[in-house]
Amino acid sequence: MYVVIFRATVDTIDHEYSQMTEWLREMALNRFGCLDFVSMMDGDQEVALSWWPDLESIHKWKKESDHLMAQRLGKEKWYKSYSVEITKVEKSYGY
């Protein structure tokens, strides 16, 4: 299992942004194999974590046309900056 960590400094949040993030979340979960997805905001800082079964699913998601459009819009109008990290989960347990 892998976790994608998306961190951004937000410039502008508008109605289009909110609609896009919800659409992308649902698409990732329902069509691209995403296992779970959570996001949070603190001031102008956004963090989104998504869990994936394998790297292939992540690569397919990255190339999806609506996701590519959202990436372009993010650079053009929503984010001052962002970063993405992909990590492999070595161990997972909980209560």
Side-chain angles (χ1 to χ4, degrees):
M1 177 170 44
Y2 292 83
V3 177
V4 175
I5 305 165
F6 173 82
R7 296 187 295 176
T9 301
V10 176
D11 188 29
T12 303
I13 294 180
D14 56 18
H15 184 68
E16 183 183 16
Y17 176 82
S18 299
Q19 285 184 317
M20 179 66 76
T21 57
E22 184 58 32
W23 166 244
L24 291 174
R25 180 184 185 281
E26 292 303 315
M27 192 178 357
L29 288 165
N30 294 317
R31 289 185 30 212
F32 285 87
C34 181
L35 303 169
D36 198 4
F37 186 102
V38 296
S39 64
M40 52 229 92
M41 292 280 297
D42 184 12
D44 68 348
Q45 299 299 303
E46 177 182 11
V47 176
L49 305 170
S50 57
W51 287 260
W52 299 83
D54 51 46
L55 288 173
E56 181 181 344
S57 298
I58 295 168
H59 292 301
K60 286 180 182 177
W61 170 241
K62 182 168 177 29
K63 294 177 182 178
E64 199 284 325
S65 61
D66 286 336
H67 191 206
L68 290 170
M69 179 181 61
Q71 291 172 48
R72 182 181 50 77
L73 289 170
K75 290 176 184 176
E76 291 174 1
K77 64 190 259 186
W78 294 324
Y79 299 125
K80 293 178 184 173
S81 64
Y82 71 86
S83 66
V84 177
E85 298 167 296
I86 300 172
T87 64
K88 185 174 183 179
V89 176
E90 295 292 332
K91 186 175 186 178
S92 178
Y93 58 90
Y95 171 72

